[in-house]
Amino acid sequence: EMWEKAIQLSKELADMYENKVFDYEGLGNLLKKRATFYENIMKAMRPQAEYFAVGYYGQGFPSFLRNKIFIYRGKEYERREDFNLKLLTQFPSAEKMTSTAPPGEEIKSSPKQYVQCFIVKPVMNLPPNYRDKPVPEQILNYYRANEVQQFTHSRPVRKGEKDPDNEFANMWIERTTYTTAYSFPGILKWFEVKQITTEEISPLENAIETMELTNEKISNIVQQHVWDRSLPVHPLSMLLNGIVDPAVMGGYTNYEKAFFTEKYLQEHPEDQDKIELLKQLIALQMPLLAEGIRIHGEKLTEQLKPLHDRLTACFKELKKKVEKQYGVITLPPSLTERKPSRSGSVVLPYIMSSTLRRLSITSVASSVVSTSSTSSDSTSSRPGSDGSILEPLLERRISTASRAEELPMKDDGDNRISKLKRKDWSVSKSQVIVEKE
């Protein structure tokens, strides 16, 4: 089912048939086959394989395994429990390690056998010709688990004393990246890890990452329901309930307690831009949730009516609070308008978090900014070729400063924006006024 590889090879064969052996009949048959490959990519269901990191520690293993880590590509629908069982069957005398932390020297030098196994997440390596373009989800899905050579594993690490009122304040993430000798899939089901790097993600960076992933998830489930009205509503219900209902997730209160305080800013002045970005991501979530609740209301059943009423009431209060504190962001129509492909089939463009961060901000309001300031010109948007990608915009709200500073913008080739200029309009730090030159 690796039709992408088949297409690549068929192009090489087509050149041979057309320009070297002049077999036009063979070329015609080959092109028909290639057409089926493209159709399969868009229509057929392909399950994504899981990847497992396996470490063999101890002097009891042979030298080609001893104290080394390998990445394994699991079979379709293979669970970690099944993979572990198969692994320990091959090494019946091995002891299974329960921790995902790197083992100490006493384990590595032990005469015994220790096996460590945990799931790792492949890092998507999207081809350059797909980046910043409205690529359909069916095409992207292949690259989420294929053509990959890097894998990550995240482990929560608590620093300092535990805050009983807020677990986010000192919850760090230790993220380890494993780079294999060759990319998957390959001739083998496993390859040795050749490079290991570890970085620590601060609580604030972790909060930003979580918000980005959540926004991406909301945006894409909304897109799916916009494009296909026959989808079941229950996954949307669970997602909205987990975000909107403060009794379930605690809302944004934990972020406010942990990061949006004068004390935190005094202790971490370098995080000012990250705090502003987190506030923008919170504001961006409001129109996404509004669209989700609107669709939820259209597909309402009698059993879901009490839940929908509660979601609507909770969201009304949440939206009012967020817009007052963090501003108003309006989504472009391209995210919620159905645009069928030329063939009439469903082609769903996947909206990544990087694209969401470049969405047009039509109005940024703040309770402490005067009316004249909030009526400033907003950044205009320009739909892409299919209406789903916008020109690159300022990725985060910028604190006002007393001096002007130029920020380079990405050139999209169609509508060139040379730069944005930061200006001081004597307003609070939470308000940004952006002027297109």
Side-chain angles (χ1 to χ4, degrees):
E1 295 182 340
M2 296 191 63
W3 302 304
E4 288 80 0
K5 290 291 188 184
I7 289 171
Q8 182 181 341
L9 294 175
S10 72
K11 290 179 179 179
E12 297 180 23
L13 284 173
D15 181 64
M16 175 72 72
Y17 285 149
E18 185 174 8
N19 299 315
K20 295 182 181 179
V21 299
F22 310 108
D23 183 357
Y24 281 15
E25 185 177 355
L27 177 61
N29 293 331
L30 181 66
L31 293 177
K32 290 176 184 177
K33 281 187 178 181
R34 194 194 300 175
T36 62
F37 299 151
Y38 283 113
E39 290 178 3
N40 288 340
I41 290 173
M42 301 305 295
K43 296 179 180 179
M45 176 70 70
R46 285 185 289 182
Q48 291 184 0
E50 292 269 24
Y51 286 91
F52 307 95
V54 180
Y56 300 95
Y57 300 107
Q59 300 300 312
F61 285 110
S63 58
F64 69 92
L65 293 177
R66 188 182 306 143
N67 295 331
K68 293 182 179 180
I69 303 178
F70 296 82
I71 301 294
Y72 284 75
R73 180 183 171 97
K75 296 179 181 179
E76 291 182 0
Y77 303 109
E78 186 172 26
R79 299 180 305 168
R80 188 181 65 165
E81 292 78 8
D82 299 330
F83 182 81
N84 264 328
L85 184 61
K86 181 175 65 176
L87 197 63
L88 293 174
T89 303
Q90 298 174 359
F91 302 97
S93 60
E95 183 179 332
K96 179 184 174 183
M97 297 176 61
T98 57
S99 173
T100 61
E105 283 301 321
E106 68 278 1
I107 297 289
K108 293 181 179 180
S109 59
S110 170
K112 298 181 180 181
Q113 293 180 344
Y114 296 91
V115 174
Q116 185 184 55
C117 178
F118 50 90
I119 295 176
V120 289
K121 183 181 178 182
V123 178
M124 184 168 66
N125 183 25
L126 201 61
N129 56 312
Y130 289 150
R131 292 172 188 168
D132 291 327
K133 294 177 183 176
V135 183
E137 162 71 4
Q138 295 91 322
I139 296 175
L140 285 180
N141 205 45
Y142 170 79
Y143 293 98
R144 298 188 198 285
N146 299 282
E147 312 294 336
V148 289
Q149 197 171 352
Q150 287 189 324
F151 306 84
T152 61
H153 176 72
S154 299
R155 194 167 63 93
V157 177
R158 193 175 298 279
K159 292 187 176 183
E161 296 182 3
K162 182 178 179 180
D163 186 351
D165 297 327
N166 194 340
E167 61 179 8
F168 294 94
N170 55 4
M171 181 61 74
W172 289 66
I173 298 295
E174 183 184 87
R175 180 162 299 156
T176 305
T177 302
Y178 303 91
T179 305
T180 53
Y182 305 97
S183 63
F184 287 91
I187 195 170
L188 299 176
K189 285 285 187 180
W190 50 275
F191 290 123
E192 183 182 350
V193 172
K194 289 297 184 181
Q195 184 180 4
I196 301 175
T197 58
T198 302
E199 62 174 336
E200 287 187 336
I201 310 297
S202 71
L204 178 57
E205 291 169 335
N206 184 35
I208 291 173
E209 190 175 286
T210 302
M211 285 297 303
E212 285 187 325
L213 293 176
T214 304
N215 287 351
E216 182 177 320
K217 190 181 298 183
I218 303 170
S219 170
N220 287 288
I221 198 170
V222 164
Q223 282 266 312
Q224 289 169 16
H225 282 274
V226 166
W227 285 80
D228 188 356
R229 295 290 182 178
S230 64
L231 289 176
V233 73
H234 294 290
L236 178 62
S237 299
M238 290 189 293
L239 179 63
L240 293 175
N241 189 51
I243 298 171
V244 173
D245 193 343
V248 179
M249 296 295 288
Y252 311 113
T253 310
N254 290 323
Y255 292 158
E256 293 172 348
K257 290 179 181 177
F259 312 119
F260 301 164
T261 63
E262 288 295 331
K263 180 182 177 183
Y264 185 88
L265 275 176
Q266 291 173 2
E267 295 176 354
H268 307 276
E270 71 281 359
D271 285 348
Q272 175 67 49
D273 286 348
K274 294 178 182 177
I275 290 175
E276 293 300 322
L277 173 57
L278 181 57
K279 290 179 179 180
Q280 186 197 22
L281 291 172
I282 293 174
L284 176 59
Q285 197 170 94
M286 294 305 103
L288 295 172
L289 289 172
E291 191 63 24
I293 291 176
R294 182 189 66 79
I295 293 173
H296 191 267
E298 291 178 355
K299 307 179 78 170
L300 199 57
T301 61
E302 193 63 34
Q303 293 84 355
L304 287 175
K305 193 174 186 307
L307 173 63
H308 182 75
D309 292 342
R310 175 165 176 78
L311 288 177
T312 304
C314 290
F315 177 67
K316 184 178 180 181
E317 293 298 319
L318 179 66
K319 183 171 181 283
K320 181 180 178 181
K321 174 187 173 184
V322 168
E323 289 185 348
K324 181 180 179 181
Q325 293 183 346
Y326 310 129
V328 180
I329 293 181
T330 304
L331 295 178
S334 56
L335 284 181
T336 54
E337 289 180 354
R338 190 179 190 278
K339 298 184 184 297
S341 66
R342 294 174 183 174
S343 63
S345 61
V346 175
V347 180
L348 179 64
Y350 193 89
I351 309 300
M352 294 185 173
S353 57
S354 58
T355 304
L356 284 172
R357 283 177 57 182
R358 295 196 300 266
L359 289 177
S360 175
I361 304 176
T362 55
S363 63
V364 180
S366 178
S367 58
V368 297
V369 180
S370 64
T371 306
S372 60
S373 297
T374 56
S375 63
S376 62
D377 292 340
S378 61
T379 312
S380 60
S381 62
R382 178 189 60 82
S385 57
D386 76 335
S388 53
I389 294 296
L390 305 175
E391 66 186 12
L393 298 173
L394 195 59
E395 295 226 342
R396 59 191 176 197
R397 275 193 275 184
I398 307 167
S399 305
T400 53
S402 57
R403 58 185 179 82
E405 179 179 342
E406 291 179 354
L407 298 174
M409 296 298 291
K410 183 177 175 183
D411 187 355
D412 64 356
D414 297 323
N415 184 17
R416 303 177 184 274
I417 302 178
S418 60
K419 51 195 170 181
L420 293 175
K421 185 170 291 185
R422 185 185 299 176
K423 303 189 71 174
D424 180 16
W425 290 85
S426 300
V427 296
S428 70
K429 291 185 178 180
S430 62
Q431 174 69 17
V432 62
I433 307 260
V434 177
E435 176 179 83
K436 182 187 291 185
E437 282 201 342

